[in-house]
Amino acid sequence: MLEIKGLSKSFGGIHAVSNCSFGLKDYVITGLIGPNGSGKTTLFNLITGSIPPDKGEIYFKGNRIDGLLPYKVAQHGIIRTFQLTRIFPKMTVLENMLLAPLHQTGEILWSLWVKRRRIRDEEKAYREKALGLIETVGLSHLKDQFAENLSYGQQKLLELGRAFMADPKMILLDEPTAGINPSLIRKIMELILKMKESGKVFFIIEHNMGVIIELCDWVFVLDNGEKIAEGKPKEIQNDPRVIEAYWGV
Amino acid sequence: MKRIVHLILISLGILIFINPSASAQDTYKIGAAFALSGAIAVYGEGFKKAVDLAVEEINTAGGIKGKKIEIVYEDNKSTPKDCVTAVRKLVAVDKVPILFGPAGSSNFMAAAPVAQESKVVMLSAQGAAPALTKAGEYIFRVFPSDVLQGKGISDLCVSLKYMEVPIMYVNNDWGLGLKNVFVENFKKAGGKVTDEIPYDDGKTDYRTELIRATKGNPKAVVNLTYITSGAVMFKQTYEMGIKTQWICGSAAKAPKLVELAGKAVEGIIGTYPVFSQETKEYNAFRAAWKKKYGDDKVPIFGEYNYDMVYITAKAIEKGGYTSGGIQKALFEVAKGYRGVTGDKTFDQDRGVGSEYGVWTVKDGLIVDYKK
Amino acid sequence: MDLFLHLCVMIIIYIIFAMSLNLEVGYTGLFNFGHVAFFGISAYTSALLSLQQVPFELSLLIALAMAGLWGFLLSIPSLRLRGDYFGIVTLGFGEIIRMVFQNEVWFTKGPMGLPGIPKPILFSYRFATLSQYLLLTLGFAALTFLILRIILRSPFGRVLRAIREDEVAAEALGKNVFFFRIKSFVIGSLFAGLAGTLWGHYTTFISPGDFTLLETILVLLIVVLGGKGTEWGPVLGAFVLIFFQESLRFLRLPAEWTRYLAPLQQMIFGGLLIVLMIFRPEGLLKEKGRGSNAGN
Amino acid sequence: MTSILEVQNVYSGYGKIEVLHGVSIQADSGEIVCIIGPNGSGKSTLLKTIFGLIKPKRGVVLFSGRDISLKEPEEKVGMGIAYIPQGKNIFPSLTVRENLEMGGTPLHDSRVIEKALQDIFQRYPVLEKRMKMKAGSLSGGERQVLALARASMVQPKLMLLDEPSLGLAPKVIEEIYERINAINHAGVTFVIVEQNARKALKSAHRAYVLDLGINRLEDTGERLLNNEEVKRLYLGG
Amino acid sequence: MDFLFQSILNGILAGCIYALFAMGLTLIYGVLNFVNFAHGELIMWGAYFLYFLMGKPFGFPLPIALIPALLLTILLGIGMDRFVFKPLRTANRLTLLIAALGLSFLLRNGAQFLWGAELRTYGFEIKRGLRILGISITLNQVAIILTSIVCIVFVYLLFHRTRLGKSMRAVSDNLELARVMGIDSKHAIQFAWVIASVLAGVGGILLALDTNLQPGMGLINLVKAFAATLLGGVGNIWGALLGGIVIGLAENLGVLVISPGYKDAIAFGIMVLMLLIRPSALLGRQE
């Protein structure tokens, strides 16, 4: 599905990601772990096109996507969330959701005048879908509130819901449980599992090992920008290289 | 939503119902859309002083048929946009049949259609651009057109045998208009304009423009400048040790310029619409000015504004306080009228003619130039 | 009454002008400090064409096209810049355009201005008197309002607001931020052009002095005061601001004071802005939460 | 031994996000106390709260028995607390010498600062050699040494270190910890936050384990090093 | 050739004035990270303060009036910060920008309110310039160039030799880290305003000595100063000088070639080009 070959990126002489190669195959939920500063978020940024790689190639479903601008990558069906949530503060929860679908007819200026009916129908369908998803993430009572009025945990849920709303082929989650309380973590995990049922593919950065072990089918471990291990979560746990990366020498 | 509608309605209501005070029924109101603020407020303040002087004299002498004159000043902020609003306000709210229009040709051009369309007489003591003659039958000016002055400057150059001159001018309607007339006349007279240098008024540094103008050491440079830019320019010319004969237009003939630039303007010459300063009218005016304001620094064009008030008063007296009456009476009362600035007879374009004289600065005073 | 009509025409032209800026500043988050350039470009285009006897319908269309075209040309290089730098580039553009009006005398008659711009004739109806012109501007204002409302309430407008809120997130959702910004800028320029055209044909005289930075600041104030990012903000802002400005004429203060009054008014203006920014930066009207309106 | 720092049941966070949900720690005079825990457990937030960059929502911070919960960082520096943030902890456009001078700000008197500076140069000849270089041109390890030296300028009683080993090679980490031990021997108390736990635990007298914003464990460094529960927290279990 | 050399001198003179203004701008930008649109008015008020003290009823001679005039300018600068910018420290850029615009309006018209729109001078006699190698330079102009150099050297020494200056640089590098050092950031910010005000005051007075006083004198030069700031790199003192002189030269030499009507467009043009070609280079800071 996602194939990374020899990917490298350095900032001012420091290698954030160096010569990383791996393939996400049929695993439904793949995890990406590693100590602080190991290059996890940089790797996500490279995949989604936020920063161009220095070297290496990225393929998604056989199409080369490295060097594409973020919106192009998104249009290939890769939608991400951010470590510090990025919602649209002065837009309502519902509007935040409605933004997500790709290729909306109503986003083309010309069709606003000539395809009014189609836009109306589309919007109606999206609206229903959005309301459904809002209910799933448990924000129905807040749907007409500005997103800035939500608590941080609720914003995380909204961001997750928005990613689902985009109907992507693959979802990249950057620390979906960071900074929220344990009961919400539970809820987010359930949501991810539920979406997994409906056939979504996930790639997750997470430091909460409990979450990784429970959710992931396969885990990659990064340290100092290099992939040091991959495997089933249980195996990874006992891998000496991984322990060393976390514990130090 | 409701609150917005309320706010809008209230403001509209206040706009409509503000009633121009009815207390002023016992006076003849005359509008004056002057530049009391903004870029050319320096001129506006001087105009106002001259107008006030004339009004005070007329009122002290018993007014017009026992009624006093009242000037309703409206600030035109020196912009065309606000000129329109100011004239609109005078016409619609104060309901004046006659008003004194703004100075500066573009301001004047913006305001003139409003007066013409409302059939209100508009007089100006400064609008000099040639195009003003086409503004309509309600638009008058007691000031000679630039066509005459441009020719005047050209003649001056020719008579002083300056046949190759560069020209600098303030890059606005007045400067450009005058420059065009000058260039046309000068070429006709066999002269050669070596360079044309427009510049913006109100800058602090003109050194390089001056250097470009005096490149090749021309014997004379024509500079159609205002007080503000002129003061800076002549000072910088002096400092840089540039020696050339400056030839200016009427807008620079101002005591303020001498005050600002001191000895740097010593010896510059310029044309101005001439009127004799030896007449009894002028002497009376000068005495009155000194009495009221304590100095004899009559502001530029002050005399024209003064005359404008007198002609207006006479026209109201003769034609009655209606715009139609005033419009007709203006021709009659001005015919052969000798004001401070000489003969004020209107031609068919509702303008006045004039001779052009030459002024110079000598020992810090503006005096007539003699070869 | 004429003054009242005149002020209404002015206010409405400013409303159109402010609405177009609101699209950029309020909805898309573009700090455009050279908006007056587009106002001027189309005022000049339409005036020059009309003076050549081109019918109003045609000259209006060409004027709008010119404003839009210049908006497009400017936006391509400058929209890559960060917000405040974009503001400076547009400011520079606005000033340069004004200098072109001023200096290209062969074309624009420079500082002499263009007098005698004919009153518009639209479908053989001549809008000559004040009240007729008021109707015309009102019609165009309503049209502008409606078109902008349709655009801004559509999914397209939703994307614009998303870009204003967080361009990175919008981009991550597959929205081509650059393209949307260009479109917003071009539409904004177009409607600024409409306001400019109406302005020129109203005063019948335009000169470079009408298109200074001060004008941009005035509309910016209208937008900010009224409440940026709201449908009615520009309308309210234009009414309040121009009302405030003009009401001083009615205080019937002695003319001697004018020398003090004019700067005092501007001082109040400036002070008001500061106070507003400190205590109510969102303006008179607040942006409210609303759901999607396009679907129902 | 007297307790120099006591943090009692502190709740704290950024804006809407509450990160610490009631954390208590304590450090005795002359100790090296290490705080470890996985990413996002609130270690850095705890240090910032102690230092006053974030004000606790609840709970108190005591320094030598005085309540300093709501004091500004500037005041705390004057009281003898130094803090070295993680990552960007030097002024890149200032020279090495100027960086050190900045560390001496609370000393006020120029002569005192100059004396402290000479002192530092004696102990860190490396820095003396580079004193005219822009700090931005130093390597990662040198930056960390500079930050440590700068904090030592005022001879603080307590030093708060946020991930001093972040992004450094093992050899360099070794050197940094040697320096820390040396300063500690001179009587300075340390509270060190580390994710890379082994090195820190070896040096630490005592350590706390945080997880998800609450205390999990407290023990001596040596014992925690071999504690299976800690491993589980890091690597799941 | 004389006119070319003279033009170069003129360019350098204009550039020195721009540089003095630009330094103040860049200083505030460095510490507070915003463009102070009202800086031009600080300049103008500096010049008017001197005018005020030299006129009735005080009638102080120039050297005596200079110090209190600068003190008044400092007071104004600190007041600007205290009453307008301090309450807006955490506000977004547009809000700050509009507030600064408002302040500029308020102060400019305040001066017009008190002194009117007309030109004023300090009333010194106009002197011919000295002629050196065919170019002419007045004592005022020598003073402008010298003072600019002195100011820049002074600011440089201040920033690199004094503790206060160094702590200001530290604050501008990393505010949070500066607080961690116990550096009183409020004090440093206030000090930045003091220096910016002094520079503005000196610049305004020099400009007025060389030319005239008028309420718009700050604003018309501010845009150039801004272009100079961008050109030299925001937050860079030597850059401000270099940028100022480049803009000054470009303008003055440009006028010899193109229509002087476009003189102001030159600075804008350079600024726009710089932004479009090398937007990243303008940030002027390493890292």
Side-chain angles (χ1 to χ4, degrees):
Chain A
M1 189 135 199
L2 186 72
E3 182 82 31
I4 293 170
K5 285 183 189 163
L7 203 62
S8 292
K9 178 76 191 176
S10 60
F11 299 105
I14 296 162
H15 297 285
V17 171
S18 57
N19 202 21
C20 266
S21 295
F22 50 81
L24 269 67
K25 297 191 187 71
D26 308 325
Y27 315 114
V28 182
I29 301 184
T30 309
L32 181 62
I33 62 169
N36 258 358
S38 58
K40 302 183 296 279
T41 298
T42 307
L43 186 67
F44 262 31
N45 286 340
L46 289 170
I47 295 172
T48 55
S50 310
I51 47 176
D54 296 337
K55 246 183 17 213
E57 291 155 24
I58 307 171
Y59 294 89
F60 182 64
K61 292 194 170 242
N63 300 313
R64 189 163 171 179
I65 59 163
D66 57 274
L68 292 183
L69 288 169
Y71 78 93
K72 281 275 181 202
V73 176
Q75 286 174 0
H76 271 92
I78 301 178
I79 295 292
R80 72 175 295 186
T81 65
F82 294 86
Q83 196 167 1
L84 289 168
T85 45
R86 296 190 96 127
I87 41 97
F88 304 107
K90 280 207 160 44
M91 296 175 79
T92 65
V93 168
L94 183 58
E95 283 176 319
N96 264 276
M97 297 292 287
L98 287 172
L99 263 167
L102 297 164
H103 308 296
Q104 297 185 36
T105 315
E107 286 175 3
I108 302 159
L109 258 183
W110 182 246
S111 41
L112 287 183
W113 318 103
V114 294
K115 294 183 186 162
R116 301 209 52 156
R117 175 181 297 273
R118 182 158 156 203
I119 293 171
R120 202 162 49 221
D121 295 346
E122 228 176 62
E123 196 72 353
K124 209 172 152 195
Y126 287 142
R127 206 182 150 87
E128 266 162 34
K129 186 177 172 197
L131 289 173
L133 271 167
I134 290 174
E135 180 145 18
T136 315
V137 298
L139 298 173
S140 289
H141 57 297
L142 297 167
K143 70 174 168 38
D144 290 324
Q145 286 285 321
F146 271 163
E148 64 180 355
N149 298 330
L150 269 55
S151 74
Y152 188 69
Q154 287 167 335
Q155 292 183 357
K156 279 250 162 192
L157 286 171
L158 173 59
E159 201 188 22
L160 202 61
R162 199 177 61 191
F164 296 154
M165 182 76 194
D167 206 8
K169 301 195 176 88
M170 176 176 238
I171 303 180
L172 271 55
L173 301 177
D174 194 347
E175 306 220 356
T177 69
I180 56 177
N181 65 46
S183 61
L184 261 178
I185 292 180
R186 196 71 247 157
K187 176 153 193 181
I188 284 177
M189 283 166 67
E190 277 162 18
L191 273 171
I192 293 172
L193 288 171
K194 203 164 170 183
M195 285 299 141
K196 177 185 168 186
E197 299 302 309
S198 64
K200 295 271 178 290
V201 176
F202 290 87
F203 192 18
I204 305 179
I205 294 179
E206 184 54 70
H207 56 254
N208 187 332
M209 281 307 282
V211 173
I212 289 286
I213 286 162
E214 196 168 333
L215 289 180
C216 296
D217 308 305
W218 196 258
V219 180
F220 293 103
V221 188
L222 281 187
D223 187 32
N224 282 326
E226 287 173 52
K227 185 185 81 176
I228 54 166
E230 65 178 292
K232 294 231 160 73
K234 291 281 177 197
E235 300 163 14
I236 288 295
Q237 262 181 297
N238 300 313
D239 190 313
R241 284 169 303 180
V242 178
I243 293 171
E244 188 180 293
Y246 271 90
W247 278 94
V249 223
Chain B
M1 244 338 267
K2 230 177 199 169
R3 221 181 34 176
I4 317 164
V5 174
H6 282 173
L7 262 167
I8 292 175
L9 283 182
I10 290 169
S11 37
L12 282 181
I14 297 173
L15 271 181
I16 298 173
F17 292 111
I18 288 178
N19 208 354
S21 69
S23 67
Q25 282 306 319
D26 50 344
T27 60
Y28 288 125
K29 284 199 289 185
I30 300 171
F34 280 3
L36 299 172
S37 66
I40 53 170
V42 193
Y43 293 92
E45 281 171 35
F47 295 177
K48 185 175 166 297
K49 273 181 160 181
V51 168
D52 284 346
L53 175 63
V55 169
E56 191 180 287
E57 283 175 11
I58 294 169
N59 285 343
T60 318
I64 304 168
K65 292 180 188 164
K67 273 200 193 183
K68 293 197 164 151
I69 302 176
E70 184 197 345
I71 306 285
V72 184
Y73 287 103
E74 215 36 74
D75 184 11
N76 69 33
K77 300 179 188 169
S78 314
T79 70
K81 183 179 86 184
D82 287 293
C83 284
V84 173
T85 308
V87 171
R88 280 265 183 237
K89 191 252 170 186
L90 289 169
V91 170
V93 178
D94 301 296
K95 303 209 167 16
V96 294
I98 177 163
L99 59 90
F100 301 151
S105 307
S106 58
N107 293 341
F108 192 93
M109 291 297 284
V114 181
Q116 175 64 25
E117 164 196 317
S118 322
K119 299 200 166 36
V120 168
V121 178
M122 182 160 110
L123 282 162
S124 171
Q126 200 272 322
L132 296 197
T133 55
K134 300 181 193 96
E137 75 265 25
Y138 282 90
I139 313 301
F140 290 76
R141 68 178 163 210
V142 296
F143 190 80
S145 159
D146 271 344
V147 176
L148 299 167
Q149 172 161 216
K151 187 162 185 316
I153 299 174
S154 166
D155 290 348
L156 178 64
C157 290
V158 172
S159 75
L160 293 170
K161 303 206 166 51
Y162 298 136
M163 295 314 285
E164 286 192 6
V165 295
I167 180 164
M168 306 179 76
Y169 58 97
V170 176
N171 197 3
N172 66 8
D173 42 10
W174 173 80
L176 182 64
L178 192 50
K179 182 217 75 169
N180 287 339
V181 182
F182 167 79
V183 170
E184 189 187 325
N185 278 289
F186 193 55
K187 279 184 180 156
K188 230 183 274 170
K192 187 179 165 211
V193 178
T194 53
D195 198 0
E196 294 187 10
I197 299 162
Y199 56 84
D200 291 330
D201 191 38
K203 287 286 183 53
T204 52
D205 180 8
Y206 296 105
R207 293 193 184 93
T208 303
E209 285 92 332
L210 291 165
I211 286 173
R212 172 162 161 182
T214 54
K215 194 167 114 188
N217 298 319
K219 278 188 284 181
V221 180
V222 176
N223 188 355
L224 310 175
T225 182
Y226 277 171
I227 302 171
T228 41
S229 44
V232 178
M233 291 180 118
F234 296 129
K235 189 170 157 236
Q236 292 178 343
T237 312
Y238 185 86
E239 286 172 351
M240 288 193 291
I242 294 171
K243 291 189 186 84
T244 189
Q245 178 61 56
W246 290 101
I247 298 170
C248 301
S250 52
K253 178 182 173 280
K256 184 88 190 170
L257 180 77
V258 183
E259 181 193 324
L260 287 168
K263 64 187 175 197
V265 289
E266 197 69 22
I268 65 169
I269 58 176
T271 61
Y272 70 108
V274 74
F275 46 84
S276 169
Q277 305 207 350
E278 312 299 322
T279 61
K280 64 175 194 303
E281 288 89 356
Y282 194 85
N283 285 331
F285 166 77
R286 188 149 49 192
W289 182 276
K290 189 149 192 172
K291 188 159 166 261
K292 185 166 163 76
Y293 296 111
D295 58 37
D296 44 25
K297 290 178 179 167
V298 178
I300 179 170
F301 309 136
E303 298 91 341
Y304 290 93
N305 280 279
Y306 180 85
D307 277 352
M308 179 169 68
V309 181
Y310 270 96
I311 296 172
T312 304
K314 284 185 188 305
I316 292 174
E317 191 167 14
K318 183 162 180 93
Y321 189 59
T322 62
S323 52
I326 295 170
Q327 197 259 348
K328 281 193 198 73
L330 269 172
F331 285 103
E332 297 168 36
V333 297
K335 187 158 188 156
Y337 174 79
R338 292 208 63 84
V340 173
T341 57
D343 190 350
K344 296 278 84 170
T345 309
F346 287 113
D347 56 29
Q348 74 268 25
D349 284 334
R350 300 162 306 281
V352 296
S354 175
E355 292 289 302
Y356 272 82
V358 183
W359 57 274
T360 185
V361 180
K362 200 173 177 201
D363 302 327
L365 289 173
I366 294 175
V367 295
D368 280 338
Y369 176 76
K370 291 178 191 74
K371 269 195 208 173
Chain C
M1 200 57 198
D2 278 1
L3 177 69
F4 172 70
L5 292 178
H6 162 69
L7 286 180
C8 282
V9 172
M10 296 259 290
I11 288 174
I12 289 167
I13 290 174
Y14 272 105
I15 287 174
I16 299 176
F17 197 11
M19 283 194 292
S20 70
L21 187 64
N22 191 28
L23 169 71
E24 296 174 17
V25 173
Y27 285 94
T28 325
L30 298 172
F31 301 175
N32 182 355
F33 289 158
H35 205 45
V36 74
F38 306 104
F39 185 79
I41 285 171
S42 58
Y44 264 97
T45 310
S46 167
L48 285 167
L49 289 172
S50 294
L51 289 171
Q52 302 296 321
Q53 321 302 332
V54 175
F56 178 71
E57 295 89 341
L58 190 62
S59 63
L60 174 68
L61 282 180
I62 297 174
L64 294 188
M66 282 298 280
L69 179 71
W70 278 99
F72 180 67
L73 291 178
L74 175 64
S75 67
I76 287 177
S78 60
L79 274 172
R80 293 177 198 283
L81 298 172
R82 222 179 68 194
D84 35 358
Y85 289 122
F86 173 75
I88 296 161
V89 169
T90 48
L91 186 145
F93 177 75
E95 284 294 287
I96 288 174
I97 289 289
R98 187 182 57 77
M99 286 180 217
V100 170
F101 294 155
Q102 174 118 4
N103 287 293
E104 298 310 310
V105 178
W106 56 275
F107 187 52
T108 62
K109 292 213 188 141
M112 310 303 289
L114 295 171
I117 303 166
K119 295 277 182 189
I121 301 170
L122 201 57
F123 308 119
S124 63
Y125 184 83
R126 187 158 181 271
F127 295 89
T129 68
L130 266 177
S131 36
Q132 285 166 340
Y133 208 88
L134 181 62
L135 273 178
L136 180 77
T137 47
L138 210 56
F140 274 117
L143 193 68
T144 308
F145 186 87
L146 282 177
I147 291 175
L148 287 179
R149 187 190 180 114
I150 289 173
I151 290 176
L152 290 169
R153 288 189 170 187
S154 74
F156 178 84
R158 200 160 58 205
V159 177
L160 294 189
R161 279 187 296 137
I163 289 170
R164 174 194 69 189
E165 295 295 312
D166 189 334
E167 58 173 295
V168 175
E171 187 113 17
L173 286 174
K175 315 297 176 198
N176 187 344
V177 170
F178 187 56
F179 268 31
F180 276 101
R181 279 196 173 138
I182 288 182
K183 284 175 190 162
S184 164
F185 195 76
V186 170
I187 299 169
S189 307
L190 238 128
F191 282 105
L194 176 63
T197 308
L198 289 173
W199 166 260
H201 287 270
Y202 174 62
T203 57
T204 72
F205 173 80
I206 53 171
S207 64
D210 294 332
F211 309 108
T212 59
L213 176 61
L214 221 65
E215 288 297 306
T216 304
I217 291 177
L218 184 67
V219 273
L220 189 67
L221 289 188
I222 289 174
V223 171
V224 171
L225 180 77
K228 54 184 191 301
T230 61
E231 282 176 349
W232 289 95
V235 179
L236 181 68
F239 265 101
V240 171
L241 209 71
I242 293 177
F243 167 74
F244 170 75
Q245 262 197 328
E246 300 303 333
S247 61
L248 283 181
R249 290 191 190 279
F250 292 90
L251 293 178
R252 300 194 68 78
L253 299 163
E256 284 71 29
W257 291 14
T258 314
R259 187 197 146 317
Y260 298 101
L261 211 61
L264 192 66
Q265 184 197 337
Q266 306 269 308
M267 280 167 76
I268 295 172
F269 217 68
L272 197 73
L273 264 184
I274 299 172
V275 172
L276 201 69
M277 286 303 105
I278 294 177
F279 296 105
R280 201 180 162 86
E282 69 274 23
L284 293 174
L285 296 180
K286 234 185 178 151
E287 210 177 333
K288 284 197 205 75
R290 52 182 126 65
S292 160
N293 298 301
N296 43 17
Chain D
M1 272 205 201
T2 50
S3 142
I4 187 165
L5 177 76
E6 245 180 279
V7 176
Q8 296 170 352
N9 199 26
V10 157
Y11 287 73
S12 159
Y14 312 88
K16 277 180 189 162
I17 315 168
E18 188 181 274
V19 181
L20 301 181
H21 319 286
V23 171
S24 305
I25 65 159
Q26 177 260 333
D28 286 339
S29 195
E31 262 189 320
I32 295 181
V33 173
C34 183
I35 297 164
I36 60 170
N39 260 353
S41 55
K43 305 180 300 280
S44 296
T45 313
L46 176 62
L47 277 200
K48 285 185 184 169
T49 310
I50 296 172
F51 194 64
L53 289 167
I54 310 170
K55 302 282 178 297
K57 290 182 187 134
R58 267 201 280 163
V60 287
V61 179
L62 299 176
F63 178 66
S64 300
R66 274 177 68 194
D67 183 357
I68 57 161
S69 316
L70 299 175
K71 292 243 186 304
E72 293 296 324
E74 288 89 342
E75 293 174 80
K76 292 188 181 177
V77 174
M79 296 164 74
I81 307 177
Y83 165 66
I84 303 178
Q86 74 169 273
K88 294 181 176 167
N89 51 20
I90 49 141
F91 300 109
S93 71
L94 271 62
T95 63
V96 168
R97 190 193 158 96
E98 285 168 342
N99 262 280
L100 291 170
E101 283 175 40
M102 287 301 106
T105 303
L107 301 176
H108 297 293
D109 191 332
S110 308
R111 270 170 308 178
V112 181
I113 293 177
E114 189 56 35
K115 202 173 155 289
L117 200 63
Q118 293 312 325
D119 236 38
I120 293 286
F121 282 151
Q122 232 160 41
R123 278 191 280 153
Y124 300 88
V126 178
L127 295 179
E128 191 172 17
K129 262 189 281 172
R130 317 240 145 138
M131 81 184 182
K132 283 189 179 145
M133 275 170 69
K134 284 237 154 67
S137 60
L138 297 182
S139 73
E142 287 168 330
R143 287 179 189 215
Q144 208 57 256
V145 172
L146 174 60
L148 261 178
R150 189 187 51 206
S152 314
M153 281 288 287
V154 286
Q155 296 176 339
K157 300 191 193 85
L158 171 67
M159 277 169 109
L160 310 171
L161 268 54
D162 197 347
E163 302 227 13
S165 68
L166 185 71
L168 299 182
K171 231 176 149 178
V172 185
I173 299 178
E174 199 80 31
E175 191 200 326
I176 298 290
Y177 271 93
E178 269 165 34
R179 301 232 180 243
I180 291 173
N181 285 329
I183 300 172
N184 176 249
H185 285 312
V188 180
T189 311
F190 276 88
V191 176
I192 304 174
V193 156
E194 275 287 10
Q195 193 196 14
N196 195 329
R198 186 166 297 183
K199 191 70 232 166
L201 288 179
K202 273 187 191 154
S203 300
H205 300 110
R206 233 152 29 78
Y208 292 86
V209 182
L210 292 195
D211 185 37
L212 298 174
I214 48 169
N215 288 71
R216 267 300 161 89
L217 289 167
E218 181 200 339
D219 211 331
T220 64
E222 284 300 328
R223 262 186 284 175
L224 279 179
L225 209 45
N226 301 312
N227 188 319
E228 280 308 308
E229 197 181 342
V230 179
K231 268 186 198 160
R232 258 208 309 284
L233 271 177
Y234 268 74
L235 301 170
Chain E
M1 272 324 263
D2 280 3
F3 75 86
L4 186 63
F5 288 136
Q6 186 79 48
S7 303
I8 291 172
L9 174 71
N10 295 342
I12 291 172
L13 271 171
C16 283
I17 297 275
Y18 297 157
L20 276 178
F21 296 176
M23 274 199 291
L25 267 183
T26 209
L27 198 63
I28 297 300
Y29 191 93
V31 177
L32 292 173
N33 197 25
F34 82 97
V35 179
N36 181 13
F37 255 76
H39 190 70
E41 276 55 46
L42 204 57
I43 290 162
M44 178 266 296
W45 272 87
Y48 271 96
F49 280 137
L50 186 70
Y51 179 82
F52 171 67
L53 290 164
M54 285 170 70
K56 286 171 198 164
F58 305 102
F60 295 135
L62 177 73
I64 295 177
L66 208 56
I67 300 298
L70 288 179
L71 285 178
L72 285 171
T73 317
I74 292 172
L75 215 61
L76 181 67
I78 291 187
M80 273 161 83
D81 185 48
R82 173 67 191 79
F83 295 107
V84 181
F85 298 122
K86 202 172 163 205
L88 292 172
R89 275 297 186 256
T90 54
N92 71 41
R93 286 189 120 81
L94 187 64
T95 308
L96 254 173
L97 208 59
I98 292 170
L101 272 176
L103 188 62
S104 155
F105 252 67
L106 180 73
L107 290 175
R108 190 164 62 251
N109 286 286
Q112 198 178 335
F113 182 79
L114 292 172
W115 289 289
E118 67 260 42
L119 289 185
R120 290 174 188 263
T121 66
Y122 292 135
F124 291 111
E125 212 184 323
I126 299 168
K127 293 201 182 75
R128 282 236 192 264
L130 313 164
R131 288 204 81 83
I132 301 163
L133 303 170
I135 54 176
S136 140
I137 183 165
T138 66
L139 288 176
N140 269 337
Q141 292 163 356
V142 175
I144 286 179
I145 294 179
L146 286 182
T147 315
S148 316
I149 293 171
V150 167
C151 279
I152 285 162
V153 170
F154 166 75
V155 170
Y156 180 82
L157 289 179
L158 188 85
F159 274 24
H160 290 89
R161 293 284 181 275
T162 71
R163 216 146 31 93
L164 198 53
K166 287 175 198 169
S167 44
M168 267 172 61
R169 279 164 60 215
V171 168
S172 125
D173 242 15
N174 187 338
L175 180 70
E176 179 143 301
L177 189 62
R179 289 188 72 196
V180 166
M181 304 288 100
I183 294 169
D184 187 346
S185 58
K186 288 185 186 115
H187 190 68
I189 288 170
Q190 211 165 55
F191 189 66
W193 279 102
V194 170
I195 300 297
S197 306
V198 170
L199 290 173
V202 169
I205 289 168
L206 285 175
L207 181 64
L209 277 172
D210 191 35
T211 60
N212 298 292
L213 293 104
Q214 71 182 93
M217 64 188 274
L219 188 71
I220 54 170
N221 287 300
L222 187 75
V223 183
K224 313 292 177 60
F226 195 71
T229 311
L230 285 181
L231 198 60
V234 177
N236 182 340
I237 295 164
W238 294 109
L241 179 68
L242 194 73
I245 289 180
V246 169
I247 299 267
L249 283 175
E251 260 184 12
N252 282 284
L253 295 177
V255 162
L256 296 176
V257 193
I258 63 165
S259 164
Y262 283 111
K263 190 177 181 184
D264 286 347
I266 294 172
F268 276 121
I270 290 177
M271 183 161 75
V272 171
L273 273 182
M274 277 301 288
L275 283 171
L276 296 183
I277 298 170
R278 294 172 54 200
S280 56
L282 299 173
L283 301 171
R285 295 207 192 146
Q286 304 97 331
E287 247 211 339

